[in-house]
Amino acid sequence: MTIHNDDTIAGRISRALAERIVTGALPPGSKLKQDHIAEEFGSSHVPVREALRRLEAQGLAVSEPRRGVRVASFDLKEVQEVAKMRAALEGLALRHSAEHLTPSRLDQAEQATIDGDNARDVRTWEEANRRFHKLILDPCGMPRLLSVIDDLHAASARFLFATWLTDWEPRVDKDHRAILAFLRAGKVENAVTALERHVQWIGGPSRRMQHASRNRFAIVG
């Protein structure tokens, strides 16, 4: 997850709070009280306010009149929006990174896929999945684009943990392997199409979750 890689007090506070929100330690609707946060981090209210503004910019928190700042909730519509944005932006990044993908980097991406297949919990899988996407996209050389994609991955991770934190099952990621096969063969547009289709699939509810809470969604991509 990205929360602007600065080492200021506001940066450290926003990263810590974002981690708690994404992993579910701070559930939707939780109050983010400036006094409590300032006391925990031993800071004044100024960096706390800046940290909260960053969380709002990422869609992780909302400021409500007379209610203060709370952890943002999410629904299927937001999940689908993130999926569509990821598809468009990751496709753009891959088109620009493809020519810079060395055999060694593709081998690392394949290992990330294998690590994800062998994951026994959702946190391990998410880390491996994030590593795969970063390996094939980072060489695009477009830092602003990658920053937005990172934020979208943080949102995806939040949806993922909300659904699968205690109910994860190992899986084989055939999409990642197809993307890698196209890239190794120099078929960039095929790889982009496969990536866009793969990422957009995450917007829908999992079949096995259809009878569960309507607020639980599978985010696997």
Side-chain angles (χ1 to χ4, degrees):
M1 133 184 48
T2 19
I3 310 254
H4 311 285
N5 292 321
D6 65 81
D7 223 7
T8 63
I9 297 174
R12 291 196 295 272
I13 293 173
S14 63
R15 283 194 295 273
L17 293 177
E19 175 71 16
R20 296 174 195 177
I21 293 170
V22 167
T23 59
L26 283 172
S30 300
K31 289 184 178 181
L32 298 172
K33 297 181 179 180
Q34 289 189 33
D35 290 345
H36 293 175
I37 296 170
E39 183 179 355
E40 177 185 349
F41 290 92
S43 74
S44 69
H45 282 208
V46 175
V48 173
R49 284 194 291 269
E50 172 60 24
L52 294 180
R53 280 195 291 269
R54 295 184 185 189
L55 295 178
E56 287 184 62
Q58 287 190 296
L60 296 177
V62 291
S63 179
E64 302 173 338
R66 298 182 298 280
R67 299 186 66 190
V69 181
R70 294 174 178 266
V71 175
S73 59
F74 59 87
D75 56 20
L76 179 57
K77 185 177 179 181
E78 182 177 350
V79 176
Q80 291 171 331
E81 179 184 14
V82 169
K84 290 174 182 177
M85 289 178 68
R86 277 189 57 191
L89 298 183
E90 291 190 34
L92 173 62
L94 185 58
R95 284 191 177 94
H96 286 270
S97 70
E99 64 180 306
H100 305 294
L101 292 173
T102 63
S104 172
R105 181 171 280 267
L106 292 175
D107 288 345
Q108 292 176 58
E110 184 172 359
Q111 184 59 54
T113 297
I114 294 170
D115 291 344
D117 291 346
N118 293 330
R120 290 296 179 266
D121 61 79
V122 67
R123 292 174 189 268
T124 305
W125 182 89
E126 197 277 332
E127 187 280 329
N129 182 65
R130 184 82 64 95
R131 184 155 35 98
F132 170 87
H133 285 265
K134 285 184 69 65
L135 280 164
I136 66 170
L137 301 179
D138 277 5
C140 75
M142 304 170 76
R144 290 187 181 183
L145 175 62
L146 292 172
S147 178
V148 175
I149 290 173
D150 254 358
D151 285 348
L152 293 171
H153 271 272
S156 292
R158 187 182 181 208
F159 306 148
L160 181 76
F161 293 147
T163 299
W164 296 104
L165 192 57
T166 59
D167 193 24
W168 181 254
E169 293 181 354
R171 62 203 59 220
V172 174
D173 199 322
K174 296 179 180 179
D175 287 351
H176 282 189
R177 287 174 169 79
I179 293 165
L180 288 174
F182 284 132
L183 290 172
R184 291 186 191 280
K187 298 180 178 180
V188 177
E189 284 306 311
N190 295 86
V192 169
T193 298
L195 175 62
E196 291 173 342
R197 184 171 57 242
H198 168 62
V199 170
Q200 288 199 69
W201 176 81
I202 72 173
S206 167
R207 290 189 186 91
R208 67 189 293 273
M209 301 298 290
Q210 284 176 354
H211 302 296
S213 164
R214 63 186 178 87
N215 290 322
R216 298 179 70 189
F217 307 103
I219 312 295
V220 187

